Amino acid sequence: MKFETILEEIDGFGRFQIAILILLCTSRMVLPCHFLLNNFIAAVPPHHCDISTLEKSSEELFRNLTREQKLTVSLPVREDGEPKSCEMFAEPQFQLLSNSSNRTDLPTVWCQSGWVYDNSTFISTLATEVQ
């Protein structure tokens, strides 16, 4: 007996077969979106240590500094000039305001009070929400 004759005997392509086909096709169309979703919610935007606790503890020293100067005295930089993501100086290094050369041998510690994220590309990601 051929498959076509069996289909004719059981009334062909009915409601059950159409429902199964729709369920299978719907899941196949949605699945790529789930794979792409991870590209957006799991992105880690550029970030650096939060230096707000340093500003509060040394308020009189940080009062007249610009944001860039505060970052200069608080965070070590990578070779490309961007602040390191997970390190900060053990103590503010005010001598770096006049001479930014010898930065590699200064004592550093891991971030003490979290991170500050650049939200220009992504407003909210898993990395920025779970600290």
Side-chain angles (χ1 to χ4, degrees):
M1 201 179 242
K2 290 186 174 183
F3 182 71
E4 292 84 14
T5 57
I6 295 174
L7 270 179
E8 286 176 16
E9 284 185 27
I10 61 169
D11 292 333
F13 199 74
R15 290 186 304 166
F16 178 75
Q17 287 83 9
I18 292 173
I20 293 293
L21 186 64
I22 289 173
L23 286 173
L24 289 174
C25 290
T26 304
S27 66
R28 294 290 179 151
M29 288 187 295
V30 173
L31 190 62
C33 297
H34 288 284
F35 286 131
L36 287 174
L37 187 63
N38 199 30
N39 291 341
F40 299 104
I41 66 168
V44 180
H47 59 282
H48 59 78
C49 295
D50 184 14
I51 59 171
S52 61
T53 56
L54 284 176
E55 292 175 6
K56 290 175 185 172
S57 64
S58 305
E59 191 172 320
E60 64 279 349
L61 298 174
F62 276 76
R63 185 178 310 135
N64 295 328
L65 297 179
T66 65
R67 181 181 181 277
E68 290 78 22
Q69 290 173 331
K70 291 176 186 178
L71 292 175
T72 300
V73 300
S74 304
L75 303 173
V77 293
R78 297 187 304 242
E79 290 80 24
D80 62 357
E82 292 295 316
K84 288 189 177 181
S85 300
C86 298
E87 292 181 33
M88 61 190 293
F89 291 126
E91 294 181 9
Q93 304 295 324
F94 293 103
Q95 74 273 13
L96 295 176
L97 291 174
S98 61
N99 183 8
S100 63
S101 57
N102 195 7
R103 292 185 135 187
T104 57
D105 60 347
L106 298 172
T108 60
V109 294
W110 291 106
C111 292
Q112 303 297 313
S113 52
W115 296 269
V116 175
Y117 292 91
D118 178 17
N119 293 333
S120 61
T121 305
F122 300 107
I123 296 171
S124 175
T125 67
L126 284 176
T128 59
E129 295 298 320
V130 181
Q131 290 190 24

